[in-house]
Amino acid sequence: MTNQEVIDDLIQHYPEAISDVDEPYGLLTFTTTGGQIIPLLRYLYDHPAFQFQFLTDLCGIHYPHHPGKELGVIYHVHSLVHNVRVRIKVFFPIGDPHVPTATVLYESANWMERETYDFYGVCFDGHPNLVRILNVDEMDYFPLRKEYPLEDATRRDKNDIMFGR
Amino acid sequence: MSDVIAPFKEPVVTSPQAYVNELTTLNLGPTHPATHGVFQNILQMDGERIVSAVTTIGYIHRAYEKLVEHRPFYQITPLTDRMNYCSSPINNMGWWMTVEKLLGVTVPKRAQYMRVIMMELARISDHLICNSILGVDSGAFSGFLYLFQERENIYEIYEEVCGARLTTNMGRIGGMERDFSETAVRKIRKFLKDFPPVLREFENLFNRNRIFMDRVVDVGPITAERALNYGFTGPNLRAAGVDYDVRVMNPYSSYEDFEFDIPVGTNGDTYDRFIVRNEEMWQSLRIIQQAMDKLPDGPYHADAPEYYLPPKPEVYRNMEALIYHFKIVMGEIDAPAGEVYHAVEGGNGELGFYLISDGGRAPYRLHFRRPCFIYYQAYAEMCVGTQLSDAIVILSSLNVIAGELDA
């Protein structure tokens, strides 16, 4: 089974849902929409030949300079039977960061989606327990978004008598 | 009896029936000595039996994914050390291979073999800790004391190869920072000779030990379907009977040159995880033996002057070397734009690095696929219905490393 077979099959079944097909370093990558992501993942999961049943990774991304598509979620699914990986991206505006949850298919998506919510503020609709996971519950911002730069290591206004910087 | 001062005017327990349906809340962690790391489990207990478990993590979260966006590529390895600190060379090498894939650098055969040797030593030290601590948690202390001498020997090899013991920061973009010294080779050979009898004795102590088997057989089982759905990888998945190993499925660093078996279990219980890890140590020994025997001659790093620090005498004499030295140390080397996913078989499973570079000096985005983080979510399901002492044993057989869990 090759990347070409997978993408041909997908384009045949979901012609309007797939864009930006690419193959960086041999890994099939394409972009889809928030409405189509779960049907697409389910199709790949249930496909008798492909069997993309292993969710390797799920993470968020922020592109502040892409208006209307600032935030994104990136899924890596793996067909353990054929050893083929597929990377699927979904982008949506930062003002309305909603995407349906993948926990209906993969139990492992639970914490990965919580992590993505924690760092990027992506709301996974239908998630059983969408609360912060690694950061403190009281945090009121999403730290991995690009508008939060790391502190300048040379600033002088925080000197501490006991511990220095 | 009459002169005994009763502390309570009335008996505390009026009737045993009054407390039948009352549950106890027990905070297991974050500083409980049996959890081996900072994670909290809020258990609802009915006597000794666990009714429900809520896991809380994030106690040593250090925001690595934010930190890496401001660091040049070679400064990210010290962070990877601190994820799974029981097998830091695997993390280091995984990161270097990700960068090399992005840059298109080909690593010479000798460096690849050297990396394999270090990674397999790291796997042995990781499994040693997991299995011997499992013994401690089930009440058998001697195996732990016995094996830790061997872990010390592995750390001495690390020390000889890279200068550090726990947080190794080993290797460079394109290969290793120096060749194996004679002492290092001698120490590895000595380890290959001395370790098998110790491991065999450890197995004699545990594998068919009646008390140990009573504690671990059929404790915390997970089926292959559930394990896959929960994203298990590594020894925990193989204990459930799925022979997925990144080293075989997507070979990296010349793993295809070596002959080794993938041990699999049947029930996915604590005993299977223990046995699979033990067997993997034997296979790692096989790989190290083959790599040492076949270790080719040649350079120990790639010819990539833009990314690999020149030798110090060259920096003083040679203009190009000085420029490259300056640019590398100041982090002024731009990486090409692109996105890479590279996975290695870490101590606990598939350790993935998803790197997006926008052509700058630091990653635009780097996501660590930490195997612990993904499979630890199954813990609540696995320990419900068991007893408290079983929950401890399940936790230690999963080998959850807090540093990797929280990143």
Side-chain angles (χ1 to χ4, degrees):
Chain A
M1 189 176 88
T2 61
N3 288 346
Q4 197 58 45
E5 289 172 39
V6 178
I7 196 68
D8 287 348
D9 190 282
L10 283 175
I11 288 176
Q12 198 185 339
H13 284 87
Y14 294 89
E16 72 289 345
I18 290 166
S19 57
D20 295 335
V21 181
D22 197 4
E23 228 181 22
Y25 299 89
L27 209 155
L28 178 62
T29 305
F30 59 86
T31 306
T32 184
T33 58
Q36 291 289 343
I37 179 69
I38 297 305
L40 229 149
L41 284 173
R42 193 184 292 280
Y43 176 76
L44 286 171
Y45 189 98
D46 291 333
H47 195 288
F50 297 165
Q51 304 186 40
F52 284 95
Q53 294 178 352
F54 191 79
L55 179 68
T56 303
D57 197 12
L58 187 159
C59 67
I61 187 147
H62 183 204
Y63 288 111
H65 304 301
H66 294 184
K69 294 174 171 183
E70 287 96 347
L71 281 184
V73 177
I74 301 168
Y75 303 78
H76 284 82
V77 287
H78 193 174
S79 163
L80 292 175
V81 182
H82 301 285
N83 191 24
V84 173
R85 294 182 199 269
V86 171
R87 180 187 293 144
I88 309 173
K89 299 181 179 182
V90 181
F91 292 102
F92 34 84
I94 199 163
D96 179 34
H98 285 272
V99 70
T101 177
T103 47
V104 289
L105 282 170
Y106 311 99
E107 206 76 61
S108 54
N110 190 327
W111 281 17
M112 297 195 239
E113 289 183 348
R114 278 177 68 184
E115 192 191 21
T116 310
Y117 164 74
D118 196 354
F119 287 119
Y120 287 94
V122 178
C123 296
F124 291 92
D125 299 329
H127 190 285
N129 181 27
L130 195 65
V131 292
R132 288 189 182 270
I133 185 162
L134 291 175
N135 291 311
V136 285
D137 295 341
E138 296 79 32
M139 201 178 229
D140 55 358
Y141 56 96
F142 301 109
L144 236 59
R145 289 188 179 176
K146 291 285 179 187
E147 65 255 36
Y148 299 103
L150 268 188
E151 213 174 65
D152 179 6
T154 57
R155 66 185 274 194
R156 305 291 300 275
D157 58 323
K158 280 179 77 177
N159 278 341
D160 187 293
I161 302 164
M162 300 294 280
F163 299 106
R165 262 279 308 163
Chain B
M1 282 298 281
S2 58
D3 55 338
V4 175
I5 301 165
F8 302 106
K9 287 211 173 77
E10 288 172 11
V12 177
V13 178
T14 43
S15 92
Q17 296 304 316
Y19 293 90
V20 162
N21 291 321
E22 189 156 303
L23 299 180
T24 317
T25 307
L26 181 74
N27 271 291
L28 184 65
T31 51
H32 193 281
T35 56
H36 311 300
V38 273
F39 19 87
Q40 186 186 28
N41 286 291
I42 303 164
L43 306 175
Q44 292 290 331
M45 312 276 300
D46 177 10
E48 274 281 292
R49 207 172 54 82
I50 295 167
V51 178
S52 78
V54 178
T55 34
T56 316
I57 66 166
Y59 285 92
I60 59 163
H61 173 57
R62 294 146 298 178
Y64 279 175
E65 291 181 7
K66 189 75 182 175
L67 285 175
V68 296
E69 292 177 5
H70 297 259
R71 287 181 173 226
F73 287 86
Y74 74 95
Q75 285 188 358
I76 293 170
T77 12
L79 300 180
T80 63
D81 286 339
R82 286 152 180 80
M83 287 202 296
N84 186 345
Y85 38 76
C86 293
S87 55
S88 18
I90 302 184
N91 306 0
N92 299 157
M93 304 307 174
W95 167 241
W96 293 133
M97 282 182 256
T98 313
V99 179
E100 284 152 9
K101 202 168 172 181
L102 177 77
L103 303 174
V105 173
T106 316
V107 181
K109 215 59 172 172
R110 182 177 175 83
Q112 293 190 7
Y113 277 45
M114 287 163 73
R115 284 180 173 184
V116 166
I117 294 168
M118 295 323 293
M119 284 193 280
E120 291 308 315
L121 283 172
R123 193 179 319 285
I124 293 178
S125 82
D126 181 278
H127 290 357
L128 272 185
I129 294 173
C130 177
N131 274 358
S132 55
I133 298 278
L134 175 61
V136 173
D137 286 342
S138 54
F141 212 93
S142 20
F144 169 73
L145 297 173
Y146 203 51
L147 281 185
F148 257 47
Q149 180 56 45
E150 294 307 315
R151 176 174 171 263
E152 173 65 27
N153 293 346
I154 294 176
Y155 280 10
E156 280 180 12
I157 296 171
Y158 291 173
E159 205 174 352
E160 194 55 42
V161 171
C162 73
R165 290 163 56 86
L166 191 70
T167 49
T168 50
N169 193 12
M170 194 185 282
R172 295 289 179 265
I173 297 175
M176 302 289 281
E177 72 269 37
R178 70 188 91 159
D179 210 343
F180 282 167
S181 65
E182 273 176 34
T183 323
V185 173
R186 200 175 62 242
K187 280 187 170 167
I188 296 170
R189 293 245 179 245
K190 185 166 183 301
F191 176 78
L192 285 174
K193 196 160 85 336
D194 292 353
F195 184 58
V198 177
L199 185 55
R200 204 165 295 124
E201 199 151 358
F202 179 74
E203 288 191 332
N204 287 343
L205 263 176
F206 282 88
N207 279 15
R208 308 300 293 172
N209 181 324
R210 176 65 201 271
I211 305 167
F212 180 69
M213 287 179 77
D214 280 350
R215 283 296 307 277
V216 293
V217 172
D218 278 336
V219 170
I222 188 158
T223 60
E225 290 77 35
R226 286 305 281 167
L228 281 173
N229 205 251
Y230 263 121
F232 275 49
T233 41
N236 297 333
L237 178 65
R238 291 193 280 274
V242 183
D243 60 343
Y244 172 55
D245 189 320
V246 186
R247 291 175 292 174
V248 177
M249 214 143 176
N250 297 305
Y252 51 90
S253 198
S254 292
Y255 265 108
E256 66 276 12
D257 295 0
F258 306 110
E259 194 163 308
F260 59 101
D261 300 326
I262 310 178
V264 288
T266 45
N267 302 323
D269 61 0
T270 304
Y271 186 66
D272 281 7
R273 287 192 279 272
F274 174 84
I275 296 289
V276 163
R277 283 206 171 82
N278 263 346
E279 188 52 37
E280 278 191 13
M281 285 195 252
W282 289 111
Q283 300 304 328
S284 293
L285 277 175
R286 267 177 81 186
I287 298 173
I288 300 171
Q289 186 73 55
Q290 292 173 50
M292 285 301 281
D293 291 345
K294 294 198 286 189
L295 191 64
D297 291 329
Y300 56 92
H301 65 86
D303 182 24
E306 282 194 308
Y307 310 108
Y308 190 88
L309 273 179
K312 200 71 180 178
E314 284 295 301
V315 177
Y316 294 130
R317 287 194 222 112
N318 186 327
M319 193 64 200
E320 281 76 35
L322 178 65
I323 293 170
Y324 283 132
H325 179 93
F326 182 81
K327 288 185 87 169
I328 293 171
V329 170
M330 299 307 288
E332 292 187 355
I333 301 281
D334 289 342
E339 55 183 313
V340 177
Y341 177 81
H342 186 76
V344 295
E345 181 70 25
N348 289 326
E350 178 175 336
L351 176 68
F353 298 85
Y354 177 42
L355 167 66
I356 300 178
S357 167
D358 62 345
R361 295 164 184 180
Y364 185 79
R365 169 90 170 103
L366 175 61
H367 181 72
F368 301 110
R369 188 222 186 254
R370 289 115 51 206
C372 274
F373 175 76
I374 292 167
Y375 67 64
Y376 184 52
Q377 40 189 323
Y379 179 65
E381 183 181 300
M382 288 165 86
C383 72
V384 164
T386 63
Q387 302 204 329
L388 178 60
S389 52
D390 294 340
I392 301 284
V393 169
I394 296 168
L395 183 62
S396 89
S397 76
L398 283 175
N399 197 18
V400 183
I401 310 275
E404 186 176 273
L405 187 68
D406 291 350

